[in-house]
Amino acid sequence: MCGIVGAVAERNVQGILLEGLRRLEYRGYDSAGMAVLSDDARLNRRRAVGKVAALEASLDAGPLEGRVGIAHTRWATHGRPTEQNAHPHQSGESLAVVHNGIIENHETLKAELESQGYVFTSQTDTEVIAHLLAREFNRTQDLLEAVRQAVALLDGAYALAVTHRSQPSLIVGARKGSPLVVGVGIGESFLASDPLALLPVTDRFIYLQEGDVVRIARGEPVAVFDAAGERQERSVHTYEHGDGAATKDGYRHFMLKEIHEQPQVVAAALEGRLSERRALIESFGSEAEAIFSQVRQVHIVACGTSYHAGLVARYWLEKYAGIPAQVEVASEYRYRRVVVPDGTLFVTLSQSGETADTLAALRFARERGYVGSLAICNVPGSSLVRESDLTLMTQAGPEIGVASTKAFTSQLVALMLLTLSLGRLNGMDESRQAEIVQALRTLPGAITQVLGLDGAIETLSMAFAEKHHALFLGRGSHFPIALEGALKLKEISYIHAEAYPAGELKHGPLALVDSEMPVISVAPNDELLEKLKSNLQEVRARGGELFVFADESVRLEEAEGVHVLRLPHVDEALAPILYTLPLQLLSYHAAVLKGTDVDQPRNLAKSVTVE
Ligand code: HGA
């Protein structure tokens, strides 16, 4: 999604802002821009459609000089990706603003502002903020006060950074519903929608809270005011994840690097969370045992890939922990009447912890009588983490590729820890717990073995690159893995893909199968194997080309039109995690062959902070 960077420094800020934007590129965007206040208080702006490199080329041709500036990568929600719609937006020559989010009452505000003589030059909702701020500044002559007055008129979500030529050594920021952090430097301060943007200049951050307004000024301490206008001391956190995420480490794409990081990521997600024979309930927080012991069922709410992780967890929770579970996409859950039986735990899954729909669902759930809320999340300090009763950090490290890979597998590990923890309190067989704990310990090794199949999977992918459609099949807890495989292929290779529970094929989608329809299936050696094999025969009988990822012990012969790739044996409970990997690699290689933008696929964004 959109990215914000702002800087009030002792040096020229163009380079800081540009590097910040480059580091936010992974979030997905369609245009970029920057406004810098020169030392003689002139506001200069550059904007460009497309990549940050296009903005950089424009800046090379005419650099911006100044020690205060704001910059933005835009993922259009209102108005096409054009230069006129790119941020920063200005009101006259005095004030500039960058915005993440959506202003829902923009039409009403626009009509009001136009009647007062303000002239609009873009189709964005954001431009109303620029003119509102200018109007309030004209009344108050104080940027902080103007921001306070203006945001009070906005309905919707925003993170903002604002600069004004009459107050040339400061920036005011504000957030509600979209993330914004302050980077604390020495005599310099910064704003960004993600700490990653600022790691070259600081590793100390204040995570702003809902409704906060912040003033960063040269040589002055950062001043944060809460929604009521009270000055607040917010703690400064040191960023502890290192800056390794910013480089591809020799891999061709971030996505490939992240796929290959999964053995370490899974090990990190388990670190300190297992005893000899059990999962440690306290990994979910000091209140976990008290809350978990009241849990009779679970509602899981998430979006996209995280939703698929939730679907796997439903099979696990019911099979191993004996706990009923429901899973729902957040954008549906938040707008319907939900019945919450006594003893229900509310679980959210989000890589970024800022996914707007999931966050709204959590807020909606708060008044619905759940026994507690648990966030499984990858970003410490994120809104979801701060607003939940319990949290489990997935420890996957920053994920840069828009298509989620390692965040998904680490969520699955976290959800298995949840299954074991709830299972333990619900009488799950002790020796089965111990077996799964043992299998979890060997999982990083098994993942490394699967990654060794990369070359063979690349060869298989050649059969896909030219296809327009694909079907993914799975049964039981591997149906969500098929869904995730199809999503990955759609996201990065733009090949239309659908996933079905294999038994559903004959009820409709079999009509699509012919030699032009590759059918991909995951076949671990579980109790559904024989049924799955019959479903695969049905495909073969209609001339469909089969690509099967199967347990090494499964008797399934390679033949014309049947490609089989063997995976090491793993405890059936963990097979969904292992079988995710070949599907990630398959999509990756198909996308590389098609020449798409693997890390930033068209139209998509990471950290979906708008509704
Ligand atoms: N609504 C604004 C900003 C969009 C956004 O935050 N995307 O992530 C626009 O369309 O410019």
Side-chain angles (χ1 to χ4, degrees), residues 140-162:
T140 59
Q141 295 301 306
D142 178 79
L143 193 56
L144 181 76
E145 197 46 39
V147 171
R148 274 213 202 106
Q149 301 293 335
V151 296
L153 303 170
L154 303 177
D155 290 339
Y158 55 81
L160 304 175
V162 193

Side-chain angles (χ1 to χ4, degrees), residues 323-346:
I323 299 216
Q326 271 184 32
V327 192
E328 190 163 355
V329 289
S331 53
E332 287 297 314
Y333 170 87
R334 61 183 286 199
Y335 290 117
R336 72 178 181 87
R337 187 167 178 280
V338 181
V339 177
V340 183
D342 287 347
T344 307
L345 177 70
F346 185 75

Side-chain angles (χ1 to χ4, degrees), residues 572-610:
E572 82 170 86
L574 303 185
I577 306 179
L578 201 65
Y579 281 77
T580 298
L581 275 100
L583 302 188
Q584 293 172 343
L585 285 168
L586 193 69
S587 297
Y588 171 77
H589 288 299
V592 170
L593 285 170
K594 284 197 72 177
T596 59
D597 189 344
V598 172
D599 285 331
Q600 294 161 39
R602 69 184 181 202
N603 303 342
L604 298 183
K606 191 105 186 140
S607 185
V608 184
T609 51
V610 297

Side-chain angles (χ1 to χ4, degrees), residues 1-2 74-78 87 99-101 124-126 610:
M1 288 272 123
C2 299
R74 172 172 189 249
W75 186 80
T77 65
H78 291 62
H87 303 210
H99 163 228
N100 289 354
T124 63
D125 51 339
T126 301
V610 297

